[in-house]
Amino acid sequence: MNLPFLGPRHKKHPALPADPESVAALLSECDLLRAQAARGGIRLDDTPASLEALDQMVPRWRDDAETLPWLGHDAGLYLGTVVVRTVPGAAWRISAGGEPVLRLVSGREVEVVDAGRQWAATGVPELSQLYAEIAEV
């Protein structure tokens, strides 16, 4: 039964831009992480050195159950942003589940959002270490 006043039965997810540069720009925003880093005196300039600085940041967000998952999500996206901007051939791909995944030139895929959430919650694995492992391939 179609009841127009209830709206469409299934909402579609908004489409991401088709070109890789627009996708990379969209996923690089990471506003919550950038704000947290700025409060800690860290400038996120999309370089591997900024990942090392994040690893050294005091994790005050771990006491905030609402902020923690969002900050972790941003941390994963930021890790992916650094990889896309510094590792030749690395690009974003959106998985069937709707999560952004890194695809390396070798064909290997890395779920950086999950890694970012683990980092935000426990500090392990370190973002700089993950970057080093990804960049080796």
Side-chain angles (χ1 to χ4, degrees):
M1 179 185 298
N2 183 15
L3 304 172
F5 62 89
L6 293 177
R9 289 178 57 98
H10 301 284
K11 291 184 179 182
K12 291 185 178 182
H13 295 287
L16 284 175
D19 66 292
E21 287 183 28
S22 294
V23 171
L26 179 66
L27 295 177
S28 72
E29 290 178 3
C30 313
D31 292 335
L32 182 60
L33 181 69
R34 289 181 188 277
Q36 188 82 27
R39 279 189 291 262
I42 298 170
R43 181 174 169 265
L44 298 184
D45 58 1
D46 301 347
T47 63
S50 65
L51 294 171
E52 291 175 18
L54 283 173
D55 287 336
Q56 301 304 312
M57 200 164 62
V58 176
R60 291 184 173 91
W61 61 84
R62 290 190 188 136
D63 296 332
D64 185 345
E66 287 185 31
T67 300
L68 182 65
W70 294 107
L71 188 87
H73 188 266
D74 274 10
L77 292 180
Y78 184 71
L79 170 62
T81 294
V82 174
V83 171
V84 166
R85 295 200 171 146
T86 61
V87 175
W92 288 109
R93 182 184 80 74
I94 304 303
S95 72
E99 284 290 324
V101 175
L102 273 182
R103 183 168 181 91
L104 305 176
V105 75
S106 67
R108 177 179 167 215
E109 293 190 345
V110 182
E111 294 184 11
V112 290
V113 172
D114 287 342
R117 287 184 180 132
Q118 290 174 11
W119 171 83
T122 67
V124 178
E126 291 184 338
L127 297 175
S128 59
Q129 181 62 38
L130 281 169
Y131 173 83
E133 291 171 10
I134 293 168
E136 281 181 359
V137 176

Coordinates of all heavy atoms in Angstrom, one line a residue, residues 16-30 34 46 72-95 98-105 108-116 134:
L16 N 27.5 9.5 -3.6 CA 28.7 10.2 -3.5 C 29.1 10.7 -4.9 O 28.7 10.1 -5.9 CB 29.9 9.3 -3.0 CG 29.8 8.9 -1.6 CD1 30.9 7.9 -1.2 CD2 30.0 10.2 -0.7
P17 N 29.9 11.8 -5.0 CA 30.4 12.2 -6.3 C 31.1 11.1 -7.0 O 31.7 10.3 -6.4 CB 31.3 13.4 -5.9 CG 31.0 13.7 -4.5 CD 30.4 12.5 -3.8
A18 N 31.1 11.2 -8.3 CA 31.7 10.1 -9.1 C 33.2 10.2 -9.2 O 33.9 9.2 -9.3 CB 31.1 10.1 -10.5
D19 N 33.7 11.4 -9.2 CA 35.2 11.5 -9.4 C 35.9 11.3 -8.0 O 35.5 11.8 -7.0 CB 35.5 12.9 -10.0 CG 35.3 14.0 -9.1 OD1 34.1 14.3 -8.8 OD2 36.2 14.7 -8.7
P20 N 37.1 10.6 -8.1 CA 37.8 10.3 -6.9 C 38.3 11.5 -6.1 O 38.3 11.4 -4.9 CB 39.0 9.5 -7.4 CG 38.6 9.0 -8.8 CD 37.6 10.0 -9.3
E21 N 38.6 12.6 -6.7 CA 39.1 13.8 -6.0 C 37.9 14.4 -5.1 O 38.2 14.8 -4.0 CB 39.6 14.8 -7.0 CG 41.0 14.4 -7.5 CD 41.5 15.5 -8.4 OE1 41.2 16.7 -8.2 OE2 42.3 15.1 -9.3
S22 N 36.7 14.4 -5.6 CA 35.6 14.9 -4.9 C 35.3 14.0 -3.7 O 35.0 14.5 -2.6 CB 34.4 15.0 -5.7 OG 34.6 16.0 -6.7
V23 N 35.4 12.7 -3.9 CA 35.2 11.7 -2.8 C 36.2 11.9 -1.7 O 35.9 12.0 -0.5 CB 35.2 10.3 -3.3 CG1 35.2 9.3 -2.2 CG2 34.0 10.0 -4.2
A24 N 37.5 12.1 -2.2 CA 38.6 12.3 -1.2 C 38.4 13.6 -0.4 O 38.6 13.6 0.8 CB 39.9 12.3 -1.9
A25 N 38.0 14.6 -1.1 CA 37.7 15.9 -0.4 C 36.6 15.8 0.6 O 36.7 16.3 1.7 CB 37.4 17.0 -1.4
L26 N 35.5 15.1 0.2 CA 34.4 14.9 1.1 C 34.8 14.1 2.4 O 34.5 14.5 3.5 CB 33.3 14.2 0.4 CG 32.0 13.9 1.2 CD1 31.3 15.2 1.6 CD2 31.0 13.1 0.4
L27 N 35.5 13.0 2.2 CA 35.9 12.2 3.3 C 37.0 12.7 4.1 O 37.3 12.3 5.3 CB 36.3 10.8 2.8 CG 35.2 10.0 2.1 CD1 35.7 8.7 1.6 CD2 34.0 9.8 3.1
S28 N 37.7 13.8 3.7 CA 38.8 14.4 4.4 C 38.4 15.4 5.4 O 39.2 15.9 6.1 CB 39.8 15.0 3.4 OG 39.3 16.1 2.8
E29 N 37.1 15.8 5.5 CA 36.7 16.8 6.3 C 37.0 16.6 7.8 O 37.6 17.4 8.5 CB 35.2 17.2 6.1 CG 35.0 17.8 4.8 CD 33.5 18.1 4.5 OE1 32.7 17.9 5.4 OE2 33.3 18.5 3.4
C30 N 36.6 15.5 8.4 CA 36.9 15.0 9.7 C 36.8 16.1 10.7 O 37.8 16.3 11.5 CB 38.3 14.4 9.7 SG 38.6 13.2 8.4
R34 N 39.6 17.2 13.7 CA 40.4 18.4 13.5 C 40.2 19.4 14.6 O 41.1 20.0 15.0 CB 40.0 19.0 12.1 CG 40.5 18.2 10.9 CD 40.2 18.8 9.6 NE 40.5 17.9 8.5 CZ 41.7 17.8 7.9 NH1 42.7 18.5 8.4 NH2 41.9 16.9 7.0
D46 N 47.5 16.6 6.7 CA 47.4 15.4 5.8 C 48.7 14.8 5.5 O 48.9 14.3 4.4 CB 46.6 15.8 4.5 CG 45.2 16.4 4.8 OD1 44.7 16.2 5.9 OD2 44.6 16.9 3.9
G72 N 36.4 8.4 16.6 CA 37.1 7.2 16.0 C 36.8 7.1 14.5 O 37.7 6.8 13.7
H73 N 35.6 7.4 14.1 CA 35.2 7.4 12.7 C 36.0 8.4 11.9 O 36.6 8.2 10.9 CB 33.7 7.7 12.5 CG 33.2 7.6 11.2 ND1 33.1 8.6 10.3 CD2 32.7 6.5 10.5 CE1 32.6 8.2 9.2 NE2 32.3 6.9 9.3
D74 N 36.1 9.6 12.5 CA 36.9 10.7 11.9 C 38.4 10.3 11.8 O 39.1 10.6 10.8 CB 36.8 12.0 12.7 CG 35.6 12.8 12.2 OD1 34.8 12.3 11.5 OD2 35.5 14.0 12.7
A75 N 38.9 9.6 12.9 CA 40.3 9.2 12.9 C 40.6 8.2 11.7 O 41.6 8.3 11.1 CB 40.7 8.6 14.2
G76 N 39.7 7.3 11.5 CA 39.8 6.4 10.4 C 39.8 7.1 9.0 O 40.6 6.8 8.2
L77 N 38.9 8.0 8.9 CA 38.8 8.8 7.7 C 40.1 9.6 7.5 O 40.6 9.8 6.3 CB 37.6 9.7 7.6 CG 36.2 9.0 7.6 CD1 35.1 10.0 7.5 CD2 36.1 8.1 6.3
Y78 N 40.6 10.2 8.6 CA 41.8 11.0 8.4 C 43.0 10.1 8.0 O 43.8 10.5 7.2 CB 42.1 11.7 9.7 CG 43.3 12.6 9.6 CD1 43.2 13.8 8.8 CD2 44.5 12.3 10.1 CE1 44.3 14.6 8.6 CE2 45.6 13.1 10.0 CZ 45.5 14.3 9.2 OH 46.6 15.1 9.0
L79 N 43.1 8.9 8.7 CA 44.2 8.0 8.3 C 44.0 7.7 6.8 O 45.0 7.7 6.0 CB 44.1 6.7 9.1 CG 44.9 5.5 8.6 CD1 46.4 5.9 8.7 CD2 44.6 4.3 9.4
G80 N 42.8 7.4 6.3 CA 42.6 7.2 4.9 C 43.0 8.4 4.0 O 43.5 8.2 2.9
T81 N 42.7 9.5 4.5 CA 43.0 10.8 3.8 C 44.5 10.9 3.6 O 45.0 11.2 2.5 CB 42.5 12.0 4.5 OG1 41.0 11.9 4.5 CG2 42.9 13.3 3.9
V82 N 45.3 10.6 4.6 CA 46.7 10.7 4.5 C 47.2 9.7 3.5 O 48.1 10.0 2.7 CB 47.4 10.5 5.9 CG1 48.9 10.5 5.8 CG2 47.0 11.7 6.8
V83 N 46.7 8.5 3.6 CA 47.1 7.4 2.7 C 46.8 7.8 1.2 O 47.6 7.7 0.3 CB 46.5 6.1 3.0 CG1 46.7 5.0 1.9 CG2 46.9 5.6 4.4
V84 N 45.6 8.3 1.0 CA 45.2 8.6 -0.4 C 46.0 9.7 -0.9 O 46.4 9.7 -2.1 CB 43.7 9.0 -0.4 CG1 43.3 9.7 -1.7 CG2 42.8 7.8 -0.2
R85 N 46.4 10.7 -0.1 CA 47.2 11.8 -0.5 C 48.7 11.5 -0.6 O 49.4 12.3 -1.3 CB 47.0 13.0 0.4 CG 45.5 13.4 0.2 CD 45.2 14.8 0.7 NE 43.9 15.2 0.3 CZ 43.1 15.9 1.0 NH1 43.5 16.5 2.1 NH2 41.9 16.2 0.6
T86 N 49.2 10.4 0.0 CA 50.6 10.2 0.0 C 51.1 8.8 -0.6 O 52.3 8.7 -0.9 CB 51.2 10.3 1.4 OG1 50.6 9.3 2.2 CG2 51.0 11.7 2.0
V87 N 50.2 7.9 -0.8 CA 50.5 6.6 -1.3 C 50.0 6.5 -2.7 O 48.8 6.5 -2.9 CB 50.0 5.4 -0.4 CG1 50.2 4.1 -1.0 CG2 50.5 5.5 1.0
P88 N 50.9 6.4 -3.7 CA 50.5 6.3 -5.1 C 49.5 5.2 -5.4 O 49.7 4.1 -4.9 CB 51.8 6.1 -5.9 CG 52.9 6.6 -5.0 CD 52.4 6.3 -3.6
G89 N 48.4 5.5 -6.1 CA 47.4 4.5 -6.4 C 46.4 4.2 -5.4 O 45.4 3.5 -5.7
A90 N 46.5 4.7 -4.2 CA 45.5 4.5 -3.1 C 44.3 5.4 -3.4 O 44.4 6.5 -3.9 CB 46.0 4.8 -1.8
A91 N 43.1 4.8 -3.2 CA 41.8 5.5 -3.5 C 40.7 5.0 -2.6 O 40.8 3.9 -2.0 CB 41.4 5.3 -5.0
W92 N 39.7 5.8 -2.4 CA 38.5 5.4 -1.6 C 37.6 4.5 -2.5 O 37.5 4.7 -3.7 CB 37.8 6.6 -1.2 CG 38.4 7.4 -0.1 CD1 39.0 8.6 -0.2 CD2 38.6 7.0 1.3 NE1 39.5 9.0 1.0 CE2 39.3 8.1 1.9 CE3 38.2 5.9 2.0 CZ2 39.6 8.0 3.3 CZ3 38.5 5.9 3.4 CH2 39.2 6.9 4.0
R93 N 36.9 3.6 -1.8 CA 35.9 2.8 -2.4 C 34.8 2.7 -1.3 O 35.1 2.6 -0.2 CB 36.4 1.4 -2.8 CG 35.3 0.5 -3.4 CD 35.8 -0.9 -3.7 NE 35.8 -1.7 -2.5 CZ 34.7 -2.2 -2.0 NH1 33.5 -2.0 -2.5 NH2 34.7 -3.0 -0.9
I94 N 33.6 2.7 -1.7 CA 32.5 2.6 -0.8 C 32.0 1.1 -0.8 O 31.6 0.6 -1.9 CB 31.3 3.5 -1.1 CG1 31.8 5.0 -1.2 CG2 30.2 3.4 -0.1 CD1 32.5 5.5 0.1
S95 N 32.0 0.5 0.3 CA 31.7 -0.9 0.4 C 30.2 -1.1 0.2 O 29.4 -0.2 0.3 CB 32.1 -1.5 1.7 OG 31.3 -1.0 2.8
G98 N 28.1 0.5 2.7 CA 28.1 1.9 2.8 C 29.3 2.5 3.5 O 29.4 3.8 3.6
E99 N 30.3 1.7 4.0 CA 31.4 2.3 4.6 C 32.6 2.6 3.6 O 32.8 1.8 2.7 CB 32.0 1.2 5.7 CG 31.2 1.1 6.9 CD 31.3 2.4 7.8 OE1 32.4 3.0 7.9 OE2 30.3 2.7 8.4
P100 N 33.3 3.7 3.9 CA 34.4 4.0 3.0 C 35.6 3.0 3.3 O 35.9 2.7 4.5 CB 34.8 5.4 3.3 CG 34.1 5.7 4.6 CD 33.0 4.7 4.8
V101 N 36.2 2.5 2.3 CA 37.3 1.5 2.4 C 38.4 2.0 1.5 O 38.2 2.5 0.4 CB 36.8 0.1 2.0 CG1 38.0 -0.9 2.0 CG2 35.7 -0.4 2.9
L102 N 39.6 1.8 2.0 CA 40.8 2.2 1.1 C 41.1 1.0 0.2 O 41.1 -0.1 0.6 CB 42.0 2.4 2.0 CG 42.3 3.8 2.5 CD1 43.6 3.8 3.3 CD2 42.3 4.8 1.5
R103 N 41.3 1.3 -1.0 CA 41.8 0.3 -2.0 C 43.2 0.7 -2.5 O 43.4 1.8 -3.0 CB 40.8 0.2 -3.2 CG 41.2 -0.9 -4.1 CD 40.1 -1.2 -5.1 NE 40.5 -2.2 -6.0 CZ 40.2 -3.5 -5.8 NH1 39.6 -3.9 -4.7 NH2 40.6 -4.4 -6.7
L104 N 44.1 -0.2 -2.3 CA 45.5 0.1 -2.7 C 45.7 -0.4 -4.1 O 45.0 -1.3 -4.6 CB 46.5 -0.6 -1.7 CG 46.2 -0.2 -0.2 CD1 47.2 -1.0 0.7 CD2 46.4 1.3 0.0
V105 N 46.8 0.0 -4.7 CA 47.1 -0.4 -6.1 C 47.3 -1.9 -6.2 O 47.0 -2.5 -7.2 CB 48.3 0.4 -6.6 CG1 49.6 -0.1 -6.0 CG2 48.3 0.5 -8.1
R108 N 44.6 -4.8 -2.5 CA 44.3 -4.9 -1.0 C 43.3 -3.8 -0.6 O 43.5 -2.7 -1.0 CB 45.6 -4.9 -0.2 CG 45.4 -5.0 1.3 CD 46.7 -4.9 2.0 NE 46.4 -4.7 3.4 CZ 47.2 -4.0 4.2 NH1 48.4 -3.5 3.7 NH2 46.9 -3.8 5.5
E109 N 42.4 -4.2 0.3 CA 41.5 -3.2 0.8 C 41.7 -3.1 2.3 O 41.9 -4.1 3.0 CB 40.0 -3.6 0.5 CG 39.7 -3.5 -1.0 CD 38.3 -3.6 -1.3 OE1 37.5 -4.0 -0.5 OE2 37.9 -3.2 -2.5
V110 N 41.6 -1.9 2.9 CA 41.8 -1.7 4.3 C 40.6 -0.9 4.8 O 40.3 0.1 4.3 CB 43.1 -0.8 4.5 CG1 43.4 -0.6 6.0 CG2 44.3 -1.4 3.8
E111 N 40.1 -1.5 5.9 CA 38.9 -0.8 6.6 C 39.5 0.1 7.6 O 39.6 -0.2 8.8 CB 38.0 -1.9 7.2 CG 37.4 -2.7 6.1 CD 36.4 -3.7 6.7 OE1 36.0 -3.7 7.9 OE2 36.0 -4.6 5.9
V112 N 39.8 1.3 7.2 CA 40.4 2.3 8.1 C 39.5 2.9 9.1 O 39.9 3.3 10.2 CB 41.1 3.5 7.3 CG1 42.3 3.0 6.5 CG2 40.1 4.1 6.4
V113 N 38.2 2.9 8.9 CA 37.2 3.4 9.9 C 37.2 2.5 11.1 O 37.2 3.0 12.2 CB 35.8 3.5 9.3 CG1 34.8 3.9 10.3 CG2 35.8 4.6 8.2
D114 N 37.2 1.2 10.9 CA 37.3 0.3 12.1 C 38.6 0.5 12.8 O 38.6 0.5 14.1 CB 37.2 -1.2 11.6 CG 35.8 -1.6 11.2 OD1 34.8 -0.9 11.5 OD2 35.7 -2.6 10.5
A115 N 39.7 0.7 12.1 CA 41.0 0.9 12.8 C 40.9 2.2 13.6 O 41.4 2.3 14.7 CB 42.1 0.9 11.8
G116 N 40.3 3.2 13.0 CA 40.2 4.5 13.7 C 39.3 4.4 15.0 O 39.7 5.0 16.0
I134 N 50.5 0.2 5.8 CA 49.7 0.3 4.6 C 50.6 0.9 3.5 O 50.6 0.4 2.3 CB 48.5 1.3 4.8 CG1 47.5 0.7 5.7 CG2 47.9 1.7 3.4 CD1 46.4 1.7 6.2

